[in-house]
Amino acid sequence: MLFSQLPEDVLYHILSYLDYKSLSRLSQVCKITNRFVNQDVVWRKIARDFLNTGITWNGTDIYPHIPLRERVELAQNWYYGVCKRSIPLKWKINDGKILVHSRRSDLPLGLSGHSQEVNCLDSKDGLIISGSRDRTARIWTLTSSFPRATIPMFDRVWSVAINPTLSSFVTGTACCENFSPLRIWDVERSACVCNLGSEFRRGAGVLDIVFESPFQLFTCGYDTFIRLWDLRLSPQKCMMKWEEPHDSTLYCIQTDGNHMIASGSSYYGVVRLWDKRQSECLQFFQLCSDPVSSPVYCLRFSSSHLYAALATALHSLDFRQNPTYIRWHPHSHTSDLSNQEKCIFF
């Protein structure tokens, strides 16, 4: 019996033992094996172990319209830092007002209420949470231009994040008062549910918060650490943490929902890529070479691009490259050829 004549469930079981290089070679045997091997079901198990393939911790596929094999190819470029840089957009600094833009109208909705500049904002399904230098957090809805609730924070609010369940949100403050800068709030009651952490130094403000799931979130800030918190465990101690190697403030973070973290630091627009399964960063990119450096204020990425917002421009990293190349290992400090790493793409 030929390989292609085996029942599909038997074929899937055989292919589950192959790595991505073996699958790639197998797909080149003939048109029949190519058509079968290129199916998403064959690559799904492999994709879960790679960076930014769109398969999250619970198996959800973020990019179902992109073939998984293509995303596994791109994952190699994310891991080894192969990308093309560009600046698609430049701007001037605005006055800090909250404006809600509709795709159906040219007139934005203005949300007024804070007495000083707005430092942070998060929105999910019509719920909006804002934090300001005026030491308040406000809860808004898209049906009104006035806040539904105003919460005194007694400290400058640097970051907010809404839980995916919409039942709670987290605030990060400047940590200039005698309480934790990380607090969880109930949306309906506008009441504090609990504090996170107990080892923050004074001034170790939290500048960004990102939920990876309803019970796990990442934070970063002035103390140069990325922290992973699990709300099912003790709120007094984070589950894991990673330190910025150059002792720089971390302004923003993003996660692919599985293994990859991207962080933006305070000097010269440095963006780092991390693998949660490792303690040191995989790659870093310096986006700003001006004498006056700019922090990375915001990060977003898709399956193929990473976007970083600096003070006056949006920077883009395009990972849709496909070279065969030799690259220095990111942690190698010698010029010995044996310490180089050859990366062969499909």
Side-chain angles (χ1 to χ4, degrees), residues 39 73 92 123 125 161 189 212 249 254 261 267 302 317 323:
Q39 296 183 62
E73 292 177 1
K92 294 182 179 179
S123 175
D125 294 339
R189 297 185 291 114
E212 186 171 69
T249 297
Q254 276 295 299
I261 311 169
Y267 295 115
S302 64
L317 300 180

Side-chain angles (χ1 to χ4, degrees), residues 123-147:
S123 175
K124 282 184 176 64
D125 294 339
L127 176 66
I128 301 172
I129 307 294
S130 62
S132 170
R133 195 181 184 89
D134 66 6
R135 300 187 171 202
T136 66
R138 296 178 188 263
I139 303 175
W140 315 74
T141 62
L142 289 178
T143 58
S144 174
S145 59
F146 296 96

Side-chain angles (χ1 to χ4, degrees), residues 42-179:
V42 176
W43 291 88
R44 192 172 184 85
K45 180 180 177 182
I46 292 174
R48 295 192 68 161
D49 290 331
F50 281 75
L51 301 182
N52 198 30
T53 58
I55 306 299
T56 64
W57 63 274
N58 62 356
T60 302
D61 193 343
I62 302 175
Y63 313 117
H65 58 288
I66 305 174
L68 268 176
R69 174 178 173 171
E70 180 180 329
R71 286 181 265 165
V72 172
E73 292 177 1
L74 285 174
Q76 313 301 306
N77 294 343
W78 284 91
Y79 188 90
Y80 293 107
V82 181
C83 62
K84 181 180 179 180
R85 306 185 187 194
S86 63
I87 300 177
L89 187 64
K90 294 185 178 181
W91 55 66
K92 294 182 179 179
I93 299 173
N94 63 25
D95 57 6
K97 294 180 181 178
I98 301 176
L99 296 177
V100 180
H101 295 270
S102 172
R103 295 179 181 177
R104 301 181 182 88
S105 172
D106 294 332
L107 297 176
L109 170 66
L111 304 180
S112 58
H114 288 292
S115 60
Q116 297 185 43
E117 63 263 34
V118 177
N119 292 325
C120 51
L121 189 76
D122 195 14
S123 175
K124 282 184 176 64
D125 294 339
L127 176 66
I128 301 172
I129 307 294
S130 62
S132 170
R133 195 181 184 89
D134 66 6
R135 300 187 171 202
T136 66
R138 296 178 188 263
I139 303 175
W140 315 74
T141 62
L142 289 178
T143 58
S144 174
S145 59
F146 296 96
R148 193 182 79 184
T150 298
I151 305 174
M153 300 295 295
F154 307 105
D155 205 351
R156 290 166 291 176
V157 185
W158 291 135
S159 54
V160 295
I162 301 173
N163 191 301
T165 64
L166 304 181
S167 61
S168 64
F169 65 94
V170 182
T171 58
T173 59
C175 200
C176 293
E177 304 298 332
N178 295 323
F179 49 76

